[in-house]
């Protein structure tokens, strides 16, 4: 398929607005799956459940073939997680697309009809990447559907004219044929040459790091060099790491020698293909396409999401900007009941992280000293201390975590940034104060109704229900980010009182 015959899309929606149902209809109408007696397949969800269970692990991406006005097109549907807390994964999936369908429940019976905070959040993520967006007003088969009112809401809030809105019923199939037509006529094909691909990839990191001079360096390089973005990875117990990739330029075929730019290691491509809906080998993937590649990688560390794959013979090109590093939002300290089981626990967590990249863990060789008497003796030869760190920040943070009363709980202070409509400032300040926050800064974003609050908070405080309180008390409108204020390496030694008195008597 030449690029102009390809469309890479996502469906973005608030939960329950009908994303899975619409995906099923699209797959049926393109003959990718056959209509079963039950009618409702939820194909993407099935892949998702399998993935959670680690049975057969698949990325949630499907390639469909569709004939429009006598021409055949390849439409790649890349699924995004349906939960607002996974905004990082959403912007990552959107990184493989040029456009998306914004699905909005237009029924009047539902308590969550119309645009929701989650629809807005994904809409913002898609706009930040410069994606074209087609609003689809769903559930018009219901007697109390009011698509006109929702259409007006979309026009006012998102500034997309009603002439571009589609009225559909994902359940009954009404209007779904128009969706496929609109995808082909109104969403752009992938740009693989000239300024087009550079503009697209420049927006990938959405607020992240596009290296200085990157665009100028791309100008000097050939367009047809292989530049493939690793969008996601999953683990196949027989073939090792499988990478879901989006080819921006160049092409990749079986037998090619490739290298992920971050590690510089070389691999031979053992298999490439598309999801139709299962993994289907194709021998090669061309510029603009989305598919998978297998190249004998054993560990996730070898295939970093956001890294650029290129040919091993290509040296010294500017990599794609990739994505911002992921940030943990939910924390847990895990201990075995019996200390003997520690190794089993470590193995189990290792297996979990192999199948689920959103889980990050640290092994406990770090110790937090809650009392100076517990500080190791300098003559203690049973342990080798690499270095000692001391918390920095404006307040001496208590060594015992107030939230869980465990001394081992991380107490390190973080610098939090909360962006919120001005109506919620008071509520957010109260929340931070309840969590032992110290206000650092308070600014307004020009020409918007948004304020930015900066607070120092103990990590242990945000590791509890802070994030969900933030979401509920701001009605979903607050966005939250943080960085370690941190511990800093410090030159500390244990000083005994008897030494002190000897010193002073001298
Ligand atoms: P998702 O969470 O966005 O994936 O939503 P689902 O596809 O699971 O749909 C949520 C619920 O809405 C299910 O009970 C669907 O059957 C129902 N639904 C989805 N689309 C329509 C529609 O067009 N009309 C009606 N009446 N119900 C729908
Ligand atoms: Mg769903």
């Amino acid at each position: 398929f030449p690029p102009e015959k390809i469309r890479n899309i996502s469906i973005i929606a608030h939960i329950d607005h009908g994303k899975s149902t619409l995906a099923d209809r699209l797959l049926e109408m393109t003959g990718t799956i056959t209509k079963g007696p039950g009618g409702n397949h939820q194909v993407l969800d099935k892949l998702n459940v399998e993935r959670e269970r680690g049975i057969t692990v698949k990325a949630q991406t499907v390639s469909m073939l569709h004939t429009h006005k006598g021409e055949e097109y390849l439409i790649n549907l890349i699924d995004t997680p349906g939960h607002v807390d996974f905004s990082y994964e959403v912007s990552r999936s959107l990184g493989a697309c040029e456009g998306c369908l914004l699905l909005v429940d237009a029924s009047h019976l539902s308590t969550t009809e119309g645009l929701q905070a989650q629809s807005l959040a994904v809409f913002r993520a898609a706009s930040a990447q410069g994606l074209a967006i087609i609003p689809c007003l769903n559930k018009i088969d219901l007697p109390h559907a009011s698509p006109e009112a929702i259409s007006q809401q979309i026009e006012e809030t998102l500034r997309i004219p009603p002439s571009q809105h589609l009225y559909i019923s994902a359940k009954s199939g009404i209007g779904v044929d128009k969706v496929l037509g609109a995808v082909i006529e109104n969403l752009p094909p992938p740009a693989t040459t000239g300024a087009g691909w550079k503009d697209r990839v420049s927006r990938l990191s959405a607020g992240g790091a596009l290296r200085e001079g990157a665009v100028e360096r791309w100008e000097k390089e050939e367009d047809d060099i292989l530049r493939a973005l690793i969008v996601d990875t999953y683990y196949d117990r027989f073939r090792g790491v499988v990478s879901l990739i989006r080819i921006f330029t160049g092409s990749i075929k079986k037998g090619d020698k490739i290298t992920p730019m971050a590690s510089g290691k070389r691999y031979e491509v053992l298999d490439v293909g598309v999801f139709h809906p299962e993994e289907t080998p194709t021998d090669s993937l061309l510029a603009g396409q989305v598919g998978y590649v297998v190249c004998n990688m054993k560990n996730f560390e070898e295939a970093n999401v956001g890294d650029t794959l290129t040919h091993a013979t290509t040296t010294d090109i500017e990599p794609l900007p990739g994505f911002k590093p992921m940030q943990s939002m939910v924390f847990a300290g895990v201990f075995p009941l019996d200390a003997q089981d520690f190794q089993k626990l470590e193995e189990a967590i290792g297996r979990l992280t192999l199948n689920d990249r959103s889980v990050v863990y640290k092994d406990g060789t770090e110790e937090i000293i809650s009392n100076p008497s517990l500080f190791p003796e300098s003559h203690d030869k049973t342990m080798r201390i690499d270095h000692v760190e001391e918390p920095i920040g404006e307040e001496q943070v208590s060594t015992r975590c107030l939230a869980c009363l465990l001394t081992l709980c991380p107490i390190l202070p973080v610098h939090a940034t909360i962006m919120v409509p001005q109506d919620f400032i008071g509520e957010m300040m109260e929340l931070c104060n309840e969590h032992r926050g110290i206000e650092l800064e308070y600014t307004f974003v020009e020409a918007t109704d948004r304020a930015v609050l900066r607070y120092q908070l103990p990590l242990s405080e945000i590791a509890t229900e802070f994030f969900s309180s933030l979401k509920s008390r701001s009605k979903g409108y607050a966005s939250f980010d943080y960085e370690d204020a941190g511990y800093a390496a410090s030159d500390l030694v244990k000083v005994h009182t008897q030494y002190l008195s000897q010193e002073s008597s001298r």
Side-chain angles (χ1 to χ4, degrees), residues 8-10 12 97-102 123 126-127 129-135 160 164 186-188:
N8 296 313
I9 64 164
S10 269
I12 56 179
C97 304
E98 276 72 41
C100 53
L101 302 171
L102 173 66
F123 171 79
S127 308
Q129 296 211 15
L131 303 192
I133 295 160
I134 303 174
I160 303 176
Q164 297 175 20
N186 302 343
L187 297 181

Side-chain angles (χ1 to χ4, degrees), residues 124-292:
R124 267 191 236 113
S127 308
Q129 296 211 15
L131 303 192
I133 295 160
I134 303 174
C136 299
L137 285 65
N138 193 28
K139 309 199 185 182
I140 58 161
D141 59 295
L142 290 172
H144 300 287
S146 52
E148 293 81 9
I150 306 298
S151 184
Q152 194 185 342
Q153 190 189 20
I154 290 175
E155 183 187 15
E156 282 167 10
T157 320
L158 310 182
R159 313 252 173 259
I160 303 176
S163 60
Q164 297 175 20
H165 302 177
L166 302 179
Y167 290 8
I168 68 166
S169 165
K171 192 170 184 179
S172 75
I174 305 169
V176 178
D177 54 335
K178 281 186 299 189
V179 175
L180 286 166
V183 163
I184 286 159
E185 292 187 0
N186 302 343
L187 297 181
T192 58
T193 55
W197 74 265
K198 290 161 203 143
D199 181 57
R200 176 69 192 91
V201 301
S202 299
R203 295 165 182 262
L204 273 179
S205 54
L210 182 65
R211 297 204 307 181
E212 215 182 303
V215 181
E216 290 75 12
R217 279 192 291 281
W218 284 325
E219 288 300 339
K220 298 201 185 88
E221 299 167 3
E222 300 295 323
D223 274 345
D224 57 2
I225 294 172
L226 171 63
R227 294 178 186 87
L229 179 73
I230 304 181
V231 178
D232 198 1
T233 56
Y234 54 92
Y235 197 79
D236 179 302
R237 85 181 67 157
F238 303 110
R239 306 195 293 168
V241 177
V242 184
S243 301
L244 170 68
I245 56 169
R246 158 67 200 263
I247 315 256
F248 280 98
T249 60
S251 64
I252 190 169
K253 64 177 192 305
K254 208 167 152 176
D256 280 359
K257 303 279 188 300
I258 55 162
T259 186
M261 292 190 69
S263 74
K265 283 194 191 169
R266 294 165 63 109
Y267 299 90
E268 182 179 334
V269 176
L270 302 177
D271 187 18
V272 285
V274 297
F275 303 92
H276 190 62
E278 303 293 326
E279 282 174 12
T280 310
T282 55
D283 287 334
S284 69
L285 285 174
L286 309 179
Q289 293 191 336
V290 175
Y292 69 90

Side-chain angles (χ1 to χ4, degrees), residues 33 66 115 130 135 150 182 251 276 305 329 370 387 406 420 445 459:
I33 54 170
H66 180 61
L115 284 175
I150 306 298
S251 64
H276 190 62
V305 169
M329 286 295 178
S370 56
H387 67 283
L406 271 180
V420 73
V445 187
L459 179 61

